[in-house]
Amino acid sequence: MSREIVVFKDIATLLRGLKTVTPGHEHFQIHRFEDAPETQIDETAIFRSNTYVVILLLEGEADYKIGLRDYHMYPGSLYFLGPQHLRYYKRNENNWKGFVCIFTDEFTTNTKLPNHFNDYPFYSLKGNQKFQLEGALLQKFTLLITQLYDYFIASQLDNCWYQLYIILNESRKLHQELYEETEEKPDTRLVIDFNTALEKHFYDIASNKAEHIFSVNDFADTLHTHPNHLSNTLKKHTGKTAGQLIKNRTILEAKSLLLSTDMTVSEVAYFLKFNDTSYFTKFFKSSEGLTPGQFQKTNKG
């Protein structure tokens, strides 16, 4: 494949790649935009990062691509980036003010924060990644994130853990109010573990750590359960079998690549571990009613 997507594996390599601040902790970082050096990159190539990000922009403007969506960020924008998101940004002004909070799986696991893939929809490909805040709501989140920043500067990581938990949960409530009229959360550990394994697997594909897309049997082996039990449990709580969920997630990844990069259909097929482009085309068309090429031509601006 001729076009590689850069994958930053941790906070340090991400910040180094963006030529911005030096991290103060291996698994957690928060800084102000105004404290970033002049070397910070104003426009990136498409990339991924094995990190979670919360950003509150108070001054400045930028164009972002996050996963499947394009966003224009301006004062009051609160937005989120996760490992499954293809990312790109272009700063339209240099006088940015606000906060950037970055954390890793290890930070949330060590502090027992809820499972981000399932409990925080803005870190999924399907969720909305941006809220436009104003008035009392903007003041509320500004105070919450300012307190998080103050805890970090004071080296009070225990307080950082709890404050991040508050911010993520308040953001989840806001997402539900704005975008989720009715949504029932899965109530079984197996569903949560499957979704977590599914997202990790696609990050492994993006990082070139996987040789093929996992089948239902592969996921069942990973989760130490029988394939039929896995599919029946998923069907009960999500309305879809394991095979359907794997296919849907593969299609989402393909769409993101087709719309967010300059990769050809053959390169996307190769990237997603399909051995045959024609099979990838049939696979995609059976779900979308369009070939990957037709989808790309129709939807890519």
Side-chain angles (χ1 to χ4, degrees), residues 118 176 180-187 191 236-238:
N118 306 287
Q176 289 173 338
E180 305 168 36
E181 295 181 2
T182 57
E183 180 175 332
E184 294 183 2
K185 297 293 181 182
D187 62 356
V191 176
K236 175 182 176 182
H237 292 286
T238 72

Side-chain angles (χ1 to χ4, degrees), residues 249-265:
R249 184 60 181 82
T250 306
I251 294 295
L252 274 178
E253 191 74 13
K255 285 181 176 180
S256 186
L257 292 167
L258 289 166
L259 296 182
S260 302
T261 74
D262 61 353
M263 294 168 68
T264 66
V265 172

Side-chain angles (χ1 to χ4, degrees), residues 188 190-191 216 225-245:
T188 69
L190 183 57
V191 176
V216 175
T225 188
H226 192 278
N228 290 344
H229 175 65
L230 176 62
S231 278
N232 290 339
T233 302
L234 291 169
K235 179 72 172 179
K236 175 182 176 182
H237 292 286
T238 72
K240 294 180 175 63
T241 65
Q244 290 171 325
L245 291 170

